[in-house]
Amino acid sequence: MWIHGCRQDPEEFAAGTRIARFADERGFVVLLPRQSRLANSERCWNWFDRRTVGGAGEAAIVAAQIGAAIEKFALDARRVYVAGLSSGGSLAAMLALRAPQLFAAAATHSAVPCGSAYDAADATRVMAQGPRGGTDELAAESRAKSGGRARVPALILQGAEDRDVAPLNAAYLVRQFLILNGADAL
């Protein structure tokens, strides 16, 4: 799963990262979901939508696409990875935290922690300033739902001088994955 960011489409994201060629050369499938302009005029994923934060909404739609791809191509469900950039990175993190049983690992770039915003205005503030807290609880809830068995290694990338997503967001996102994976005695 390779999830594009704002003002991108899957074709641009694939071309810029060369992921499709890489997948073809190595014999794996890459799913590139598309955000509709009807859902978001900038083609951003709505990671801040309450339904998506809860594991429904766009998170459920993309998770269903993963399930359909696993079935259609007879993929090894233990080898599904999720990665995304910006709003796509935030959705990737949301998927990994809300459905850890689906993923072997996750990677995000310039993403924000799950549950840090619940509307577009708050999302803009969180991107610029970081969350006001309350993100540990979502990770702890996801761990509890997994019976304490969740294990989703994560690679969190963030530019130190990113003008759109404050680097502080990466620290909160790392913390969420540490909690999800059982390192909650921080």
Side-chain angles (χ1 to χ4, degrees):
M1 172 67 60
W2 201 253
I3 310 173
H4 68 79
C6 296
R7 295 178 296 281
Q8 291 181 318
D9 61 36
E11 293 81 11
E12 293 167 333
F13 195 40
T17 61
R18 298 185 298 265
I19 189 65
R21 189 177 87 201
F22 186 83
D24 289 344
E25 290 170 355
R26 286 160 181 82
F28 64 88
V29 174
V30 66
L31 180 62
L32 293 134
R34 176 184 310 277
Q35 177 60 298
S36 163
R37 282 195 188 276
L38 295 175
N40 187 294
S41 63
E42 296 290 327
R43 291 190 306 251
C44 301
W45 296 94
N46 296 305
W47 54 267
F48 50 83
D49 176 78
R50 286 189 184 276
R51 293 168 301 159
T52 298
V53 172
E58 291 176 1
I61 292 167
V62 174
Q65 291 174 343
I66 293 167
I70 289 170
E71 186 175 321
K72 180 176 182 174
F73 297 105
L75 303 174
D76 182 349
R78 297 166 301 170
R79 297 179 64 195
V80 176
Y81 304 87
V82 62
L85 172 69
S86 189
S87 70
S90 299
L91 183 61
M94 184 74 61
L95 285 161
L97 283 159
R98 286 303 190 185
Q101 73 283 358
L102 287 179
F103 303 103
T108 68
H109 193 302
S110 301
V112 300
C114 306
S116 58
Y118 293 96
D119 60 44
D122 203 30
T124 301
R125 184 202 55 77
V126 168
M127 288 171 53
Q129 301 170 8
R132 292 185 175 144
T135 57
D136 288 0
E137 293 80 7
L138 186 143
E141 175 189 316
S142 293
R143 177 154 181 78
K145 282 185 179 179
S146 78
R149 293 181 306 277
R151 293 288 182 274
V152 183
L155 173 64
I156 311 298
L157 301 170
Q158 176 65 49
E161 296 186 28
D162 188 326
R163 289 184 235 158
D164 294 318
V165 179
L168 177 61
N169 285 295
Y172 278 88
L173 196 49
V174 166
R175 185 174 172 90
Q176 283 188 315
F177 276 95
L178 288 171
I179 294 168
L180 176 70
N181 288 307
D184 50 353
L186 301 173

